[in-house]
Amino acid sequence: MTAHVLNATPATVHWGYFDHDLAPVLEVRSGDLVQIQALTHHAGDAPDLLMDGGIEEVFEAVTDRGPGPHLLTGPIALEGARVGDVLQVEILALDARLPYGSNLAGHWGHLYEDFHKERVTIFELDLQAMSARALFAYDWAATPLVEHPGVVVAPGSVQRVQALAGVRVPLRPHLGTMGLAPAGAGRHSSVPPGAHGGNIDNWRIGAGARMLYPVQVAGGLLSVGDPHVSQGDGEVSGTALEASLTGLLRLTLRRDLELSTPLLETPHELLVHGFGDSLDEAMHAATRLMLELLGSRFALSRDDAYAFMSVAVDFTVTQVVDGRQGVHARIDKRCFAFAGSS
């Protein structure tokens, strides 16, 4: 096992897309550790709080952006990974880089038509108590709409007002966007999630969990970004509590599994994610994926799996703001006496 350090610099990030033609910035072997920096693309919402010298350098130097908004560190190639393999990413630790975060209620938010404006709320993080409180908020006016990633809002250019007085938010550090290079050619926006993973936005993808991804191109080519310190299921305003994180990951090549879509595993749970143009489509996809998992992992017949899903599986809206809407299905592994780790 080798430990690597991958800092987020202009040479190691790509802004807004996955692309299998990107050259890897790091190559590792199965079982290696990677300490990796993930930068929030919302650092410009309050640059006096959310930026340090390294983040400023990335914002100034990386001008090739889009079509999505997310800053991604990578890609990382796993030696020997080939199409049909599974790349296991264990998240061993996630630590905040700076004790501040931002939430943007964007025009893609679920209730934008009720508000007809975009609004930023800046939070201060208490990393010992693992909670956050709002410092201030302001209505977005830097551009007509938040459509160009990486806009820097000068502190004196907006009126900062009090917000969420007396309210504390529990912290749930996690990676909103993490995934492999898709098989299809060209740039793939970082916004919609898919079989490659990407912008899944499930707050359970944090320390102690592991993600398993089907490899679609040689080397896998893992990229990590969109770090969050908290989020509710649904992510209804358009974003989570966005803040830069430093993570410790272990990457392992698996050839004892067959997966068609990413699988999330926590110490006691297994979760699959369904996506679709509507919540109905996402729910159908999650249901069928769970049906498949219960058969392959726990040897349940389709009839038994269908009954089990109705009495013991939780189906929850992951997000409704990423183009393709998401539903995740969760089972408690302790329901099965023979349940083990993947």
Side-chain angles (χ1 to χ4, degrees):
M1 182 185 68
T2 302
H4 307 264
V5 175
L6 183 56
N7 292 329
T9 71
T12 63
V13 303
H14 48 108
W15 202 318
Y17 61 95
F18 291 86
D19 187 341
H20 69 219
D21 287 331
L22 277 174
V25 299
L26 177 67
E27 185 171 6
V28 304
R29 293 182 174 180
S30 181
D32 282 359
L33 298 176
V34 181
Q35 179 180 290
I36 188 168
Q37 293 178 343
L39 304 184
T40 176
H41 55 291
H42 283 277
D45 294 349
D48 50 326
L49 302 177
L50 293 168
M51 283 189 171
D52 56 22
I55 298 174
E56 288 177 5
E57 181 183 12
V58 168
F59 269 63
E60 290 172 1
V62 182
T63 57
D64 181 7
R65 305 173 181 179
H70 307 103
L71 260 170
L72 301 174
T73 307
I76 302 169
L78 183 63
E79 183 180 304
R82 61 196 184 200
V83 177
D85 292 341
V86 170
L87 176 56
Q88 175 179 289
V89 183
E90 295 176 83
I91 305 171
L92 304 179
L94 287 173
D95 298 303
R97 178 169 176 149
L98 297 167
Y100 301 97
S102 175
N103 169 257
L104 169 68
H107 64 273
W108 58 91
H110 197 56
L111 296 179
Y112 176 71
E113 292 183 355
D114 291 7
F115 290 87
H116 296 286
K117 67 176 182 179
E118 297 175 292
R119 187 170 176 82
V120 172
T121 306
I122 300 297
F123 290 77
E124 181 178 29
L125 315 181
D126 184 335
L127 299 175
Q128 290 191 334
M130 290 299 287
S131 66
R133 66 180 183 90
L135 288 180
F136 57 83
Y138 63 85
D139 290 343
W140 183 268
T143 56
L145 289 174
V146 181
E147 294 181 308
H148 305 288
V151 173
V152 177
V153 180
S157 66
V158 292
Q159 182 181 3
R160 295 175 168 183
V161 300
Q162 186 182 52
L164 287 169
V167 175
R168 289 275 178 172
V169 175
L171 297 187
R172 299 166 168 171
H174 62 282
L175 296 167
T177 301
M178 180 167 63
L180 307 186
R187 290 190 176 188
H188 295 253
S189 171
S190 62
V191 174
H196 68 292
N199 192 30
I200 290 177
D201 279 334
N202 188 331
W203 62 262
R204 298 155 187 86
I205 307 175
R210 56 183 174 179
M211 287 292 294
L212 298 108
Y213 299 98
V215 174
Q216 300 190 31
V217 299
L221 300 181
L222 174 74
S223 295
V224 172
D226 191 25
H228 298 167
V229 287
S230 196
Q231 181 197 303
D233 286 328
E235 200 185 16
V236 293
S237 85
T239 71
L241 182 46
E242 317 273 336
S244 298
L245 297 174
T246 298
L248 182 63
L249 312 178
R250 179 185 289 119
L251 308 187
T252 305
L253 182 62
R254 301 288 300 272
R255 287 182 172 150
D256 57 326
L257 299 171
E258 290 186 9
L259 290 179
S260 60
T261 58
L263 176 67
L264 168 59
E265 184 164 8
T266 72
H268 298 299
E269 300 170 332
L270 287 169
L271 299 97
V272 296
H273 297 84
F275 307 111
D277 293 332
S278 68
L279 282 177
D280 280 345
E281 288 185 9
M283 180 67 185
H284 277 90
T287 305
R288 292 190 172 99
L289 286 169
M290 180 55 72
L291 193 71
E292 178 184 330
L293 178 67
L294 288 167
S296 62
R297 178 69 177 262
F298 301 109
L300 295 187
S301 69
R302 287 176 60 83
D303 287 340
D304 285 349
Y306 194 33
F308 177 79
M309 284 194 293
S310 196
V311 299
V313 176
D314 295 319
F315 291 85
T316 308
V317 176
T318 317
Q319 52 74 26
V320 292
V321 294
D322 292 337
R324 301 188 73 202
Q325 300 190 8
V327 169
H328 57 270
R330 181 196 70 86
I331 59 173
D332 190 325
K333 294 185 293 185
R334 293 168 294 187
C335 290
F336 301 89
F338 53 88
S341 60
S342 291

